[in-house]
Amino acid sequence: MNQLILQQGASKELVHFPHILEFAHKKNNTIQLNSFSSNVTDCICLYYILEGKFTWIIDLQEHTLYPGDFAMVLPGQRIGGQSSILNIGALFWIKIATEDSGKLLLGKWSGLTKKEKISVNQILLVNKEQHVLKLKEAHLLLHNLQAELQNEEVGFYTRANQLLDELFILISRQLIRQNNSRRDFPQTFLKLEQTLRQNLAHQWTVEEMATLIGMGTTAFTEKVKNYSGFSPLNYLINIRIAEATKLLKRNEANVTDIALNTGFYSSQHFSTTFKKLTGYTPTEFRKNKTPDQ
């Protein structure tokens, strides 16, 4: 994966694009502690999830994002990782400056007509509480934008801004289609995760999990893979680790008890799995964790 983080004022690739404050294509192989603190944005922040599962707090609401999910945060809104953590996975993000103190979201760089700019502006502002969209088409646009910024071939300035226009058109159309509805994630899977969390000490099998929502194991496995990016057992392990990180913040909780309560066979099994997925042993994580606010 060709990773990069471009920042205005520090990256030559953005010299011709003062409206692009930051562009990134990043993959995390371990949990990044204290790397995504909550803050109020002064620009448009757009995120697209490529791999993994990310839990973010956007305007005081918790959102869990999976591959194909797209998050939009407008000026004046707050975003940050749960406990300031940036989870394991891969994502694109881009931060775009606005004009007229944030009232005009698409600036002079845009090739849209004045009428189209006004329409997109209104759609984004009216639907500003819809932070998460299912927008798989954004992947190719962001991939191509990265190529234009890096390669600087003939016409790159025009093409890069066209891709941004296409992205905002795509976002606007999807917002209209969703029409203030919930994101496309089956209620059955939300209930499944709640059920698993209530009894993580149980050694769940794929067959048992499939039975909980009335599906065969093959269809269930495919559904979980499509929605979460993980196999059912890895999906379950991620839930176990997520719950364990919460318990580790309580200094009075014994590591062995946490291991058994979250479904691991032993403290050694827990420690090995935890380090593999987070890059830290449970003890190291406890020492380096961000205190709850």
Side-chain angles (χ1 to χ4, degrees):
M1 177 182 290
N2 187 14
Q3 299 188 66
L4 84 161
I5 298 179
L6 305 178
Q7 295 179 320
Q8 189 60 238
S11 304
K12 63 180 181 61
E13 292 89 344
L14 298 183
V15 168
H16 302 289
F17 303 93
H19 50 290
I20 301 179
L21 304 179
E22 191 168 289
F23 180 89
H25 182 187
K26 182 174 174 58
K27 181 171 184 177
N28 299 324
N29 293 316
T30 61
I31 288 178
Q32 305 294 300
L33 296 176
N34 307 320
S35 63
F36 197 19
S37 300
S38 178
N39 69 92
V40 176
T41 66
D42 58 1
C43 59
I44 303 171
C45 299
L46 307 174
Y47 304 85
Y48 180 79
I49 307 304
L50 293 165
E51 301 172 9
K53 173 184 175 182
F54 292 82
T55 301
W56 294 346
I57 309 299
I58 307 177
D59 262 7
L60 304 181
Q61 293 185 347
E62 183 175 303
H63 296 270
T64 300
L65 292 86
Y66 296 94
D69 281 347
F70 186 93
M72 176 182 72
V73 184
L74 299 183
Q77 297 183 317
R78 180 179 290 275
I79 184 172
Q82 186 181 55
S83 298
S84 300
I85 289 173
L86 191 60
N87 305 89
I88 297 170
L91 72 163
F92 278 109
W93 74 76
I94 184 169
K95 298 180 180 181
I96 303 171
T98 60
E99 296 182 8
D100 193 16
S101 301
K103 296 178 182 178
L104 186 61
L105 300 179
L106 274 63
K108 297 181 178 65
W109 59 265
S110 173
L112 298 181
T113 66
K114 182 178 180 181
K115 184 177 180 179
E116 289 170 335
K117 285 184 184 180
I118 292 174
S119 295
V120 169
N121 204 72
Q122 289 177 335
I123 292 169
L124 297 183
L125 291 176
V126 168
N127 296 280
K128 63 182 181 180
E129 301 306 320
Q130 288 194 61
H131 296 295
V132 178
L133 309 172
K134 205 71 177 177
L135 207 65
K136 291 186 177 181
E137 300 90 337
H139 183 186
L140 182 59
L141 291 178
L142 291 167
H143 173 80
N144 289 340
L145 178 57
Q146 177 178 339
E148 294 294 341
L149 294 175
Q150 288 187 295
N151 298 334
E152 296 189 357
E153 296 179 318
V154 60
F156 75 95
Y157 176 80
T158 298
R159 184 60 184 138
N161 286 331
Q162 286 175 342
L163 288 166
L164 286 179
D165 278 337
E166 288 181 45
L167 182 59
F168 279 105
I169 290 171
L170 184 64
I171 295 169
S172 300
R173 290 180 177 180
Q174 184 65 8
L175 285 169
I176 292 173
R177 292 190 189 105
Q178 289 193 183
N179 192 26
N180 296 319
S181 63
R182 280 176 53 86
R183 57 171 294 210
D184 182 21
F185 191 91
Q187 189 67 27
T188 51
F189 279 86
L190 296 178
K191 291 181 180 178
L192 170 64
E193 183 161 335
Q194 290 174 355
T195 301
L196 295 176
R197 285 183 180 277
Q198 289 169 1
N199 191 10
L200 280 180
H202 179 69
Q203 297 303 311
W204 294 98
T205 65
V206 175
E207 291 76 13
E208 287 176 325
M209 289 189 284
T211 300
L212 286 174
I213 58 175
M215 296 180 69
T217 55
T218 300
F220 173 74
T221 298
E222 292 177 351
K223 285 287 187 182
V224 173
K225 181 70 175 177
N226 288 338
Y227 281 109
S228 71
F230 299 106
S231 69
L233 292 180
N234 283 336
Y235 173 73
L236 176 60
I237 288 173
N238 274 273
I239 294 175
R240 295 190 194 281
I241 292 297
E243 187 64 25
T245 59
K246 294 179 183 178
L247 295 174
L248 283 168
K249 294 170 191 172
R250 305 172 189 170
N251 291 325
E252 72 276 12
N254 180 277
V255 172
T256 299
D257 290 340
I258 292 175
L260 298 177
N261 290 338
T262 53
F264 293 93
Y265 300 115
S266 65
S267 58
Q268 182 59 48
H269 177 219
F270 170 52
S271 182
T272 301
T273 305
F274 194 92
K275 184 172 179 65
K276 180 180 179 181
L277 292 180
T278 69
Y280 300 89
T281 66
T283 301
E284 290 170 342
F285 181 88
R286 174 169 274 171
K287 289 180 179 177
N288 289 282
K289 71 177 177 62
T290 302
D292 288 337
Q293 300 298 319

PDB file of all heavy atoms in Angstrom, residues 38-43 45 57-60 72-79 124-125 127-131:
ATOM      1  N   SER A  38     -10.205  14.269  20.426  1.00  0.00           N
ATOM      2  CA  SER A  38     -11.406  15.003  20.032  1.00  0.00           C
ATOM      3  C   SER A  38     -11.098  16.480  19.850  1.00  0.00           C
ATOM      4  O   SER A  38     -10.436  17.104  20.679  1.00  0.00           O
ATOM      5  CB  SER A  38     -12.486  14.828  21.101  1.00  0.00           C
ATOM      6  OG  SER A  38     -13.649  15.560  20.759  1.00  0.00           O
ATOM      7  N   ASN A  39     -11.560  17.037  18.731  1.00  0.00           N
ATOM      8  CA  ASN A  39     -11.369  18.466  18.500  1.00  0.00           C
ATOM      9  C   ASN A  39     -12.453  19.002  17.580  1.00  0.00           C
ATOM     10  O   ASN A  39     -13.066  18.256  16.807  1.00  0.00           O
ATOM     11  CB  ASN A  39      -9.986  18.742  17.894  1.00  0.00           C
ATOM     12  CG  ASN A  39      -9.864  18.219  16.476  1.00  0.00           C
ATOM     13  OD1 ASN A  39     -10.119  18.940  15.521  1.00  0.00           O
ATOM     14  ND2 ASN A  39      -9.485  16.951  16.324  1.00  0.00           N
ATOM     15  N   VAL A  40     -12.702  20.304  17.664  1.00  0.00           N
ATOM     16  CA  VAL A  40     -13.689  20.963  16.819  1.00  0.00           C
ATOM     17  C   VAL A  40     -12.999  21.371  15.527  1.00  0.00           C
ATOM     18  O   VAL A  40     -11.958  22.033  15.543  1.00  0.00           O
ATOM     19  CB  VAL A  40     -14.289  22.202  17.518  1.00  0.00           C
ATOM     20  CG1 VAL A  40     -15.248  22.931  16.580  1.00  0.00           C
ATOM     21  CG2 VAL A  40     -15.009  21.777  18.795  1.00  0.00           C
ATOM     22  N   THR A  41     -13.553  20.977  14.400  1.00  0.00           N
ATOM     23  CA  THR A  41     -12.922  21.251  13.116  1.00  0.00           C
ATOM     24  C   THR A  41     -13.229  22.676  12.643  1.00  0.00           C
ATOM     25  O   THR A  41     -14.266  23.241  12.965  1.00  0.00           O
ATOM     26  CB  THR A  41     -13.411  20.269  12.045  1.00  0.00           C
ATOM     27  OG1 THR A  41     -14.801  20.490  11.803  1.00  0.00           O
ATOM     28  CG2 THR A  41     -13.218  18.830  12.509  1.00  0.00           C
ATOM     29  N   ASP A  42     -12.306  23.229  11.861  1.00  0.00           N
ATOM     30  CA  ASP A  42     -12.523  24.527  11.236  1.00  0.00           C
ATOM     31  C   ASP A  42     -12.504  24.395   9.714  1.00  0.00           C
ATOM     32  O   ASP A  42     -12.301  25.364   8.990  1.00  0.00           O
ATOM     33  CB  ASP A  42     -11.469  25.543  11.691  1.00  0.00           C
ATOM     34  CG  ASP A  42     -10.053  25.080  11.387  1.00  0.00           C
ATOM     35  OD1 ASP A  42      -9.900  23.977  10.810  1.00  0.00           O
ATOM     36  OD2 ASP A  42      -9.108  25.807  11.728  1.00  0.00           O
ATOM     37  N   CYS A  43     -12.696  23.149   9.242  1.00  0.00           N
ATOM     38  CA  CYS A  43     -12.691  22.873   7.805  1.00  0.00           C
ATOM     39  C   CYS A  43     -13.615  21.688   7.543  1.00  0.00           C
ATOM     40  O   CYS A  43     -14.241  21.164   8.468  1.00  0.00           O
ATOM     41  CB  CYS A  43     -11.268  22.570   7.326  1.00  0.00           C
ATOM     42  SG  CYS A  43     -10.523  21.148   8.158  1.00  0.00           S
ATOM     43  N   CYS A  45     -13.910  17.883   6.902  1.00  0.00           N
ATOM     44  CA  CYS A  45     -13.099  16.678   7.099  1.00  0.00           C
ATOM     45  C   CYS A  45     -13.860  15.472   6.547  1.00  0.00           C
ATOM     46  O   CYS A  45     -14.990  15.198   6.977  1.00  0.00           O
ATOM     47  CB  CYS A  45     -12.804  16.461   8.581  1.00  0.00           C
ATOM     48  SG  CYS A  45     -11.866  17.800   9.342  1.00  0.00           S
ATOM     49  N   ILE A  57     -16.153   9.271  17.906  1.00  0.00           N
ATOM     50  CA  ILE A  57     -17.176  10.111  18.512  1.00  0.00           C
ATOM     51  C   ILE A  57     -17.293  11.366  17.642  1.00  0.00           C
ATOM     52  O   ILE A  57     -16.353  12.147  17.542  1.00  0.00           O
ATOM     53  CB  ILE A  57     -16.823  10.509  19.965  1.00  0.00           C
ATOM     54  CG1 ILE A  57     -16.443   9.269  20.785  1.00  0.00           C
ATOM     55  CG2 ILE A  57     -17.989  11.264  20.591  1.00  0.00           C
ATOM     56  CD1 ILE A  57     -17.540   8.242  20.903  1.00  0.00           C
ATOM     57  N   ILE A  58     -18.450  11.536  17.002  1.00  0.00           N
ATOM     58  CA  ILE A  58     -18.690  12.684  16.132  1.00  0.00           C
ATOM     59  C   ILE A  58     -19.859  13.480  16.710  1.00  0.00           C
ATOM     60  O   ILE A  58     -20.975  12.975  16.797  1.00  0.00           O
ATOM     61  CB  ILE A  58     -18.991  12.260  14.690  1.00  0.00           C
ATOM     62  CG1 ILE A  58     -17.892  11.326  14.158  1.00  0.00           C
ATOM     63  CG2 ILE A  58     -19.134  13.483  13.787  1.00  0.00           C
ATOM     64  CD1 ILE A  58     -18.147  10.793  12.762  1.00  0.00           C
ATOM     65  N   ASP A  59     -19.575  14.704  17.107  1.00  0.00           N
ATOM     66  CA  ASP A  59     -20.594  15.546  17.750  1.00  0.00           C
ATOM     67  C   ASP A  59     -21.314  14.815  18.879  1.00  0.00           C
ATOM     68  O   ASP A  59     -22.549  14.764  18.926  1.00  0.00           O
ATOM     69  CB  ASP A  59     -21.591  16.051  16.704  1.00  0.00           C
ATOM     70  CG  ASP A  59     -21.248  17.465  16.244  1.00  0.00           C
ATOM     71  OD1 ASP A  59     -20.179  17.982  16.628  1.00  0.00           O
ATOM     72  OD2 ASP A  59     -22.053  18.061  15.514  1.00  0.00           O
ATOM     73  N   LEU A  60     -20.514  14.215  19.747  1.00  0.00           N
ATOM     74  CA  LEU A  60     -20.983  13.543  20.974  1.00  0.00           C
ATOM     75  C   LEU A  60     -21.738  12.242  20.709  1.00  0.00           C
ATOM     76  O   LEU A  60     -22.254  11.631  21.645  1.00  0.00           O
ATOM     77  CB  LEU A  60     -21.878  14.489  21.805  1.00  0.00           C
ATOM     78  CG  LEU A  60     -21.233  15.829  22.197  1.00  0.00           C
ATOM     79  CD1 LEU A  60     -22.213  16.653  23.030  1.00  0.00           C
ATOM     80  CD2 LEU A  60     -19.935  15.603  22.977  1.00  0.00           C
ATOM     81  N   MET A  72     -18.373  12.383   7.213  1.00  0.00           N
ATOM     82  CA  MET A  72     -18.276  13.799   6.860  1.00  0.00           C
ATOM     83  C   MET A  72     -18.452  14.645   8.112  1.00  0.00           C
ATOM     84  O   MET A  72     -19.420  14.487   8.853  1.00  0.00           O
ATOM     85  CB  MET A  72     -19.361  14.166   5.841  1.00  0.00           C
ATOM     86  CG  MET A  72     -19.395  15.641   5.479  1.00  0.00           C
ATOM     87  SD  MET A  72     -20.739  16.041   4.317  1.00  0.00           S
ATOM     88  CE  MET A  72     -22.175  15.868   5.411  1.00  0.00           C
ATOM     89  N   VAL A  73     -17.496  15.536   8.348  1.00  0.00           N
ATOM     90  CA  VAL A  73     -17.558  16.438   9.497  1.00  0.00           C
ATOM     91  C   VAL A  73     -17.363  17.858   8.974  1.00  0.00           C
ATOM     92  O   VAL A  73     -16.354  18.158   8.319  1.00  0.00           O
ATOM     93  CB  VAL A  73     -16.472  16.099  10.539  1.00  0.00           C
ATOM     94  CG1 VAL A  73     -16.615  16.990  11.763  1.00  0.00           C
ATOM     95  CG2 VAL A  73     -16.550  14.627  10.933  1.00  0.00           C
ATOM     96  N   LEU A  74     -18.322  18.731   9.257  1.00  0.00           N
ATOM     97  CA  LEU A  74     -18.292  20.098   8.747  1.00  0.00           C
ATOM     98  C   LEU A  74     -17.703  21.054   9.786  1.00  0.00           C
ATOM     99  O   LEU A  74     -17.584  20.704  10.972  1.00  0.00           O
ATOM    100  CB  LEU A  74     -19.700  20.530   8.350  1.00  0.00           C
ATOM    101  CG  LEU A  74     -20.375  19.709   7.240  1.00  0.00           C
ATOM    102  CD1 LEU A  74     -21.746  20.292   6.903  1.00  0.00           C
ATOM    103  CD2 LEU A  74     -19.502  19.631   6.002  1.00  0.00           C
ATOM    104  N   PRO A  75     -17.315  22.260   9.363  1.00  0.00           N
ATOM    105  CA  PRO A  75     -16.750  23.235  10.306  1.00  0.00           C
ATOM    106  C   PRO A  75     -17.648  23.456  11.512  1.00  0.00           C
ATOM    107  O   PRO A  75     -18.871  23.568  11.383  1.00  0.00           O
ATOM    108  CB  PRO A  75     -16.643  24.504   9.457  1.00  0.00           C
ATOM    109  CG  PRO A  75     -16.493  24.011   8.061  1.00  0.00           C
ATOM    110  CD  PRO A  75     -17.360  22.782   7.985  1.00  0.00           C
ATOM    111  N   GLY A  76     -17.028  23.472  12.694  1.00  0.00           N
ATOM    112  CA  GLY A  76     -17.782  23.678  13.927  1.00  0.00           C
ATOM    113  C   GLY A  76     -18.233  22.394  14.590  1.00  0.00           C
ATOM    114  O   GLY A  76     -18.722  22.416  15.722  1.00  0.00           O
ATOM    115  N   GLN A  77     -18.048  21.247  13.922  1.00  0.00           N
ATOM    116  CA  GLN A  77     -18.413  19.961  14.493  1.00  0.00           C
ATOM    117  C   GLN A  77     -17.182  19.297  15.098  1.00  0.00           C
ATOM    118  O   GLN A  77     -16.051  19.600  14.734  1.00  0.00           O
ATOM    119  CB  GLN A  77     -19.056  19.068  13.431  1.00  0.00           C
ATOM    120  CG  GLN A  77     -20.366  19.635  12.898  1.00  0.00           C
ATOM    121  CD  GLN A  77     -21.046  18.728  11.897  1.00  0.00           C
ATOM    122  OE1 GLN A  77     -20.407  18.163  11.013  1.00  0.00           O
ATOM    123  NE2 GLN A  77     -22.354  18.590  12.011  1.00  0.00           N
ATOM    124  N   ARG A  78     -17.425  18.388  16.024  1.00  0.00           N
ATOM    125  CA  ARG A  78     -16.332  17.759  16.783  1.00  0.00           C
ATOM    126  C   ARG A  78     -16.170  16.298  16.375  1.00  0.00           C
ATOM    127  O   ARG A  78     -17.144  15.584  16.166  1.00  0.00           O
ATOM    128  CB  ARG A  78     -16.638  17.850  18.278  1.00  0.00           C
ATOM    129  CG  ARG A  78     -15.577  17.224  19.184  1.00  0.00           C
ATOM    130  CD  ARG A  78     -15.935  17.378  20.656  1.00  0.00           C
ATOM    131  NE  ARG A  78     -15.819  18.757  21.088  1.00  0.00           N
ATOM    132  CZ  ARG A  78     -14.686  19.327  21.499  1.00  0.00           C
ATOM    133  NH1 ARG A  78     -13.558  18.613  21.521  1.00  0.00           N
ATOM    134  NH2 ARG A  78     -14.671  20.574  21.892  1.00  0.00           N
ATOM    135  N   ILE A  79     -14.908  15.864  16.272  1.00  0.00           N
ATOM    136  CA  ILE A  79     -14.622  14.468  15.953  1.00  0.00           C
ATOM    137  C   ILE A  79     -13.368  14.010  16.703  1.00  0.00           C
ATOM    138  O   ILE A  79     -12.455  14.797  16.958  1.00  0.00           O
ATOM    139  CB  ILE A  79     -14.422  14.249  14.430  1.00  0.00           C
ATOM    140  CG1 ILE A  79     -14.222  12.756  14.134  1.00  0.00           C
ATOM    141  CG2 ILE A  79     -13.277  15.088  13.906  1.00  0.00           C
ATOM    142  CD1 ILE A  79     -14.205  12.419  12.655  1.00  0.00           C
ATOM    143  N   LEU A 124     -25.488  19.816   1.995  1.00  0.00           N
ATOM    144  CA  LEU A 124     -24.549  19.424   3.054  1.00  0.00           C
ATOM    145  C   LEU A 124     -24.937  20.022   4.397  1.00  0.00           C
ATOM    146  O   LEU A 124     -24.881  19.351   5.433  1.00  0.00           O
ATOM    147  CB  LEU A 124     -23.129  19.852   2.679  1.00  0.00           C
ATOM    148  CG  LEU A 124     -22.508  19.212   1.432  1.00  0.00           C
ATOM    149  CD1 LEU A 124     -21.072  19.689   1.254  1.00  0.00           C
ATOM    150  CD2 LEU A 124     -22.556  17.700   1.497  1.00  0.00           C
ATOM    151  N   LEU A 125     -25.332  21.301   4.387  1.00  0.00           N
ATOM    152  CA  LEU A 125     -25.663  21.967   5.652  1.00  0.00           C
ATOM    153  C   LEU A 125     -26.973  21.453   6.240  1.00  0.00           C
ATOM    154  O   LEU A 125     -27.083  21.260   7.449  1.00  0.00           O
ATOM    155  CB  LEU A 125     -25.734  23.478   5.436  1.00  0.00           C
ATOM    156  CG  LEU A 125     -24.384  24.161   5.134  1.00  0.00           C
ATOM    157  CD1 LEU A 125     -24.598  25.640   4.832  1.00  0.00           C
ATOM    158  CD2 LEU A 125     -23.419  23.996   6.296  1.00  0.00           C
ATOM    159  N   ASN A 127     -28.173  18.522   5.896  1.00  0.00           N
ATOM    160  CA  ASN A 127     -27.968  17.141   6.354  1.00  0.00           C
ATOM    161  C   ASN A 127     -26.691  16.973   7.174  1.00  0.00           C
ATOM    162  O   ASN A 127     -26.115  15.893   7.217  1.00  0.00           O
ATOM    163  CB  ASN A 127     -27.912  16.211   5.135  1.00  0.00           C
ATOM    164  CG  ASN A 127     -29.212  16.166   4.371  1.00  0.00           C
ATOM    165  OD1 ASN A 127     -30.150  15.482   4.756  1.00  0.00           O
ATOM    166  ND2 ASN A 127     -29.276  16.908   3.271  1.00  0.00           N
ATOM    167  N   LYS A 128     -26.270  18.037   7.846  1.00  0.00           N
ATOM    168  CA  LYS A 128     -24.982  18.001   8.554  1.00  0.00           C
ATOM    169  C   LYS A 128     -24.953  17.014   9.714  1.00  0.00           C
ATOM    170  O   LYS A 128     -23.873  16.664  10.207  1.00  0.00           O
ATOM    171  CB  LYS A 128     -24.623  19.392   9.050  1.00  0.00           C
ATOM    172  CG  LYS A 128     -25.583  19.978  10.073  1.00  0.00           C
ATOM    173  CD  LYS A 128     -25.145  21.383  10.457  1.00  0.00           C
ATOM    174  CE  LYS A 128     -26.067  21.997  11.499  1.00  0.00           C
ATOM    175  NZ  LYS A 128     -25.634  23.366  11.870  1.00  0.00           N
ATOM    176  N   GLU A 129     -26.128  16.558  10.171  1.00  0.00           N
ATOM    177  CA  GLU A 129     -26.149  15.575  11.260  1.00  0.00           C
ATOM    178  C   GLU A 129     -25.981  14.156  10.740  1.00  0.00           C
ATOM    179  O   GLU A 129     -25.820  13.223  11.523  1.00  0.00           O
ATOM    180  CB  GLU A 129     -27.459  15.688  12.046  1.00  0.00           C
ATOM    181  CG  GLU A 129     -27.695  17.064  12.668  1.00  0.00           C
ATOM    182  CD  GLU A 129     -26.537  17.526  13.534  1.00  0.00           C
ATOM    183  OE1 GLU A 129     -25.977  16.683  14.275  1.00  0.00           O
ATOM    184  OE2 GLU A 129     -26.177  18.716  13.473  1.00  0.00           O
ATOM    185  N   GLN A 130     -26.041  13.966   9.423  1.00  0.00           N
ATOM    186  CA  GLN A 130     -25.802  12.645   8.843  1.00  0.00           C
ATOM    187  C   GLN A 130     -24.305  12.483   8.615  1.00  0.00           C
ATOM    188  O   GLN A 130     -23.793  12.745   7.540  1.00  0.00           O
ATOM    189  CB  GLN A 130     -26.555  12.499   7.512  1.00  0.00           C
ATOM    190  CG  GLN A 130     -28.053  12.361   7.666  1.00  0.00           C
ATOM    191  CD  GLN A 130     -28.690  11.876   6.376  1.00  0.00           C
ATOM    192  OE1 GLN A 130     -28.373  10.782   5.904  1.00  0.00           O
ATOM    193  NE2 GLN A 130     -29.567  12.661   5.799  1.00  0.00           N
ATOM    194  N   HIS A 131     -23.624  12.054   9.628  1.00  0.00           N
ATOM    195  CA  HIS A 131     -22.166  12.018   9.575  1.00  0.00           C
ATOM    196  C   HIS A 131     -21.601  10.828   8.821  1.00  0.00           C
ATOM    197  O   HIS A 131     -20.498  10.896   8.278  1.00  0.00           O
ATOM    198  CB  HIS A 131     -21.600  12.027  10.996  1.00  0.00           C
ATOM    199  CG  HIS A 131     -21.907  13.277  11.753  1.00  0.00           C
ATOM    200  ND1 HIS A 131     -21.414  14.508  11.391  1.00  0.00           N
ATOM    201  CD2 HIS A 131     -22.670  13.493  12.857  1.00  0.00           C
ATOM    202  CE1 HIS A 131     -21.848  15.429  12.226  1.00  0.00           C
ATOM    203  NE2 HIS A 131     -22.612  14.844  13.128  1.00  0.00           N
TER     204      HIS A 131
END
